[in-house]
Amino acid sequence: MSHADPTAALDRPAAGFAPGWRIDASYRKLPGDFYTLMPAEKVGPGPVLVHANAEAAALLDLDPAVFGDPDFVAAVTGHLPIAGFQPLAMVYSGHQFGNWAGQLGDGRALLVAQVRNARRELWDVQLKGAGMTPYSRMGDGRAVLRSCIREYLCSEAMAGLGIPTTRALALTATREGVRREQVEPGAVLTRLSPSHIRFGHFEHFHHNGRPEMVALLADHVITEHFPDLLGREGRHEAWFRAVVDRTADLIAGWQAVGFAHGVMNTDNMSILGLTMDYGPFGFLDAFDPGFICNHSDHGGRYAFDRQPAVAHWNLHALAVALSSLIPVPVLKEVLGGYEARFAESFAMRMRGKLGLGAPVEGDGALAADLLAVMARGGGADYTLAFRDLATVEEAGGAERWLAHFAEAEAARWLGRYRARLAVEPDPGRAAAMNRVNPKYVLRNWVAESAIRAVQQEGDFAMLDRILVLLQAPFDEHPGFEDYAAPPPAGMQDLSVSCSS
Ligand code: AMP
Ligand code: MG
């Protein structure tokens, strides 16, 4: 690329953590306008490893034996650079709660490596909470242990559910107090992603009147992440279509498992259609379509049932940012396809959740009516009502399933459902349903229990126990059923805010 930084090869730290990675500083092919090169701050007196994740390590061909190496712990806290890569903070802008927020950027995140693994996949290694950057604005560049535990567990839960997401490699405690509503333990989360580029990256350059940078960035993303489109006539249009489709599929995945993101600002929207920037997210317990997980979201802009429409709004903001690159009528036409794509993607997931095979007239209404019945009378438990649906033909199964509901309507719905199943006998149905209806999601009370165990009891092993469930959420885990249960008394309405 013509703007490639000719000094890139000269200033990479040769010393540092060197696990044999093939470093590929792909983001440095973009001009310096896209980032600030800077070392991490070395937050805290000396980090302690809280947890490291073998599944994520495998993405980097990293042997988990390295977790015991002090250099690994130092590297994933920003105390030791990664050999061959000069860390950088990215600049982006975005719309927050529907308003243009201007410049944001990696205020407490730092890209510390880009690694090309043996399968030739590119992975960003990014530290969250490793100190201030030029984009910190009023913030302190820190992250608190509480929210890092939540992101650590949830990104792995989403991966286990098969929903595209950033991953979590490691979590360290900085042993530094961080001031929020009160002083809390600080932490650094190391996350992995094929890219951390957001809708807001494009908005940044568009709204600063720099269309040539929008074009460079689009071609960078296409080259690195949509190589099939390279050299194609109309590649920008095809790429935008792919982004719309991926985003629609992502949100369909969220709605199907009952995940509310909580802060769907355009700066938290991945250009690759990944779930990213876990904050005050929540999985549904009792089904409430208007569930608001973010207690700072007073207007309910990011309520559970608004997510599909908000994603469309965010794609519109992205389309505006691409208007110098793609003709407006084309952008409109592509955006116009979002709703149908979402509906199709969600309907396909609902068919799977209900165990329906070849489409029969009335299937759509059957699925919609189940959701309506689930929402009534205080709400059936979203996860368990679907999970137990696979057992309604077994002895005692119908009674167990009906116990999730307060309403007699559930029994009428069950009658319709059984009649529908009779049309299409399938001995493999229950097993297939159990592969799409998870037993274990990261319920808020489970996350809170993990936080209490780590912070109050120093019980880091609790994270292991929970990760085993979340990384295989469709399996039965005998002895661990308690973690699949709705919130116990006193843990129903735990407050989660943006303050993290
Ligand atoms: P978030 O709500 O975490 O997605 O963050 C929104 C913006 O605020 C991003 O630009 C973050 O980098 C920045 N930010 C959030 N928390 C902090 C912090 N503690 N210090 C510096 N910047 C922050
Ligand atoms: Mg963010």
Side-chain angles (χ1 to χ4, degrees):
M1 220 170 268
S2 60
H3 288 75
D5 177 351
T7 65
L10 300 177
D11 52 15
R12 294 174 188 172
F17 182 60
W21 279 338
R22 180 163 160 218
I23 297 291
D24 180 350
S26 150
Y27 202 72
R28 288 288 297 277
K29 292 178 194 153
L30 291 164
D33 309 65
F34 284 84
Y35 50 81
T36 299
L37 297 170
M38 56 172 297
E41 202 181 300
K42 297 193 180 172
V43 167
V48 170
L49 184 69
V50 176
H51 205 272
N53 177 7
E55 268 199 22
L59 301 171
L60 302 177
D61 307 318
L62 193 64
D63 181 346
V66 82
F67 298 163
D69 179 347
D71 278 3
F72 171 76
V73 179
V76 294
T77 319
H79 285 230
L80 181 68
I82 289 168
F85 193 91
Q86 195 174 19
L88 62 90
M90 299 177 173
V91 65
Y92 52 84
S93 294
H95 280 85
Q96 299 189 318
F97 289 90
N99 303 308
W100 176 242
Q103 182 182 303
L104 302 165
D106 288 340
R108 53 162 169 182
L110 202 64
L111 185 66
V112 293
Q114 290 187 289
V115 178
R116 183 79 60 188
N117 71 12
R119 292 186 298 280
R120 302 200 49 77
E121 298 161 345
L122 184 67
W123 287 95
D124 281 10
V125 182
Q126 195 193 60
L127 307 184
K128 186 169 176 180
M132 307 237 305
T133 76
Y135 315 114
S136 296
R137 298 178 297 148
M138 309 299 282
D140 57 6
R142 269 54 177 175
V144 299
L145 183 55
R146 168 177 54 91
S147 29
C148 288
I149 291 171
R150 285 172 50 84
E151 172 155 357
Y152 191 86
L153 292 175
C154 198
S155 48
E156 293 312 292
M158 294 300 258
L161 291 165
I163 296 176
T165 178
T166 61
R167 301 295 300 268
L169 174 66
L171 172 61
T172 59
T174 59
R175 298 198 291 137
E176 177 200 65
V178 175
R179 183 165 296 282
R180 292 294 180 261
E181 276 108 32
Q182 56 207 29
V183 175
E184 296 191 40
V188 174
L189 176 84
T190 304
R191 62 183 177 189
L192 309 180
S193 180
S195 170
H196 285 86
I197 297 175
R198 304 145 189 273
F199 290 10
H201 278 78
F202 293 89
E203 293 180 278
H204 179 75
F205 291 99
H206 174 77
H207 292 285
N208 283 301
R210 307 194 63 191
E212 74 288 0
M213 294 293 164
V214 173
L216 267 184
L217 184 59
D219 283 327
H220 172 82
V221 169
I222 292 171
T223 304
E224 294 292 355
H225 305 288
F226 298 84
D228 296 353
L229 304 179
L230 269 181
R232 245 175 69 174
E233 177 104 20
R235 69 182 183 285
H236 293 133
E237 175 190 338
W239 163 68
F240 181 58
R241 200 177 293 278
V243 174
V244 169
D245 287 352
R246 282 195 192 191
T247 305
D249 293 347
L250 174 71
I251 308 300
W254 289 0
Q255 301 308 111
V257 297
F259 174 79
H261 180 284
V263 203
M264 288 177 68
N265 294 331
T266 57
D267 52 298
N268 292 337
M269 296 292 292
S270 153
I271 200 67
L272 301 184
L274 310 172
T275 315
M276 79 184 304
D277 277 18
Y278 292 86
F281 65 83
F283 280 90
L284 294 168
D285 291 308
F287 183 41
D288 167 12
F291 172 57
I292 302 167
C293 58
N294 178 356
H295 286 235
S296 318
D297 182 9
H298 304 295
R301 179 180 175 85
Y302 300 138
F304 176 73
D305 59 359
R306 298 216 60 231
Q307 296 188 126
V310 167
H312 198 189
W313 192 97
N314 289 344
L315 285 163
H316 185 271
L318 176 63
V320 170
L322 300 178
S323 55
S324 59
L325 196 62
I326 301 170
V328 170
V330 173
L331 288 168
K332 284 189 172 162
E333 184 268 313
V334 176
L335 266 182
Y338 168 85
E339 277 166 329
R341 174 73 180 215
F342 170 79
E344 191 187 315
S345 191
F346 183 65
M348 193 254 300
R349 285 169 171 77
M350 287 305 287
R351 297 186 65 76
K353 290 175 81 69
L354 269 69
L356 306 180
V360 168
E361 171 125 25
D363 282 354
L366 192 68
D369 292 348
L370 173 59
L371 291 175
V373 176
M374 282 173 62
R376 298 217 180 99
D381 186 84
Y382 188 83
T383 303
L384 294 181
F386 276 110
R387 179 73 180 188
D388 288 345
L389 193 57
T391 64
V392 293
E393 302 285 46
E394 292 171 13
E399 291 71 23
R400 190 169 54 245
W401 185 77
L402 284 167
H404 292 301
F405 297 83
E407 305 284 299
E409 264 179 290
R412 283 195 289 279
W413 184 88
L414 184 58
R416 281 166 64 199
Y417 178 62
R418 290 173 123 171
R420 168 64 180 86
L421 297 187
V423 174
E424 189 185 32
D426 176 4
R429 182 176 353 252
M433 289 170 74
N434 284 342
R435 287 193 292 273
V436 293
N437 291 319
K439 178 157 181 168
Y440 297 93
V441 295
L442 182 60
R443 294 177 188 266
N444 224 3
W445 79 263
V446 174
E448 194 58 30
S449 303
I451 291 166
R452 288 181 194 172
V454 171
Q455 285 195 180
Q456 290 168 21
E457 286 139 47
D459 173 13
F460 297 174
M462 174 77 152
L463 296 178
D464 276 317
R465 292 195 287 279
I466 295 178
L467 270 182
V468 166
L469 310 177
L470 297 177
Q471 289 181 333
F474 302 108
D475 294 352
E476 298 291 333
H477 294 273
F480 291 91
E481 286 83 0
D482 285 357
Y483 291 103
M491 293 185 91
Q492 269 107 346
D493 193 23
L494 301 164
S495 167
V496 185
S497 74
C498 271
S499 161
S500 58

